[in-house]
Amino acid sequence: MRVEAGGADRVKFPDAIRGGFAESRILELHGARMVQRNFVPGGPSRLQLKDLDAVMDLNSP
């Protein structure tokens, strides 16, 4: 869900959630990209698939 859908300003949103549990290096590095709505992939999808496979393995009997 987009921040605007809730009536908030996407430019102010990263600063609004700083200092709590949402504070992270990812927010610091990619916050501007989120504000600009720049969702160009920055890495190979095979790495995401590897991580998803690892999660699925955790849930296997």
Side-chain angles (χ1 to χ4, degrees):
M1 176 180 270
R2 291 180 31 197
V3 172
E4 293 97 342
D9 181 340
R10 74 173 182 238
V11 174
K12 295 178 182 177
F13 183 74
D15 287 334
I17 62 173
R18 289 197 192 286
F21 287 117
E23 183 69 31
S24 68
R25 183 75 173 141
I26 294 297
L27 177 61
E28 183 181 330
L29 293 174
H30 300 297
R33 289 178 59 222
M34 290 185 276
V35 168
Q36 297 164 357
R37 312 237 353 115
N38 174 5
F39 301 114
V40 175
S45 59
R46 66 180 166 76
L47 297 178
Q48 294 175 356
L49 182 58
K50 171 192 63 79
D51 294 342
L52 291 172
D53 286 340
V55 170
M56 293 300 292
D57 288 345
L58 290 172
N59 293 318
S60 296

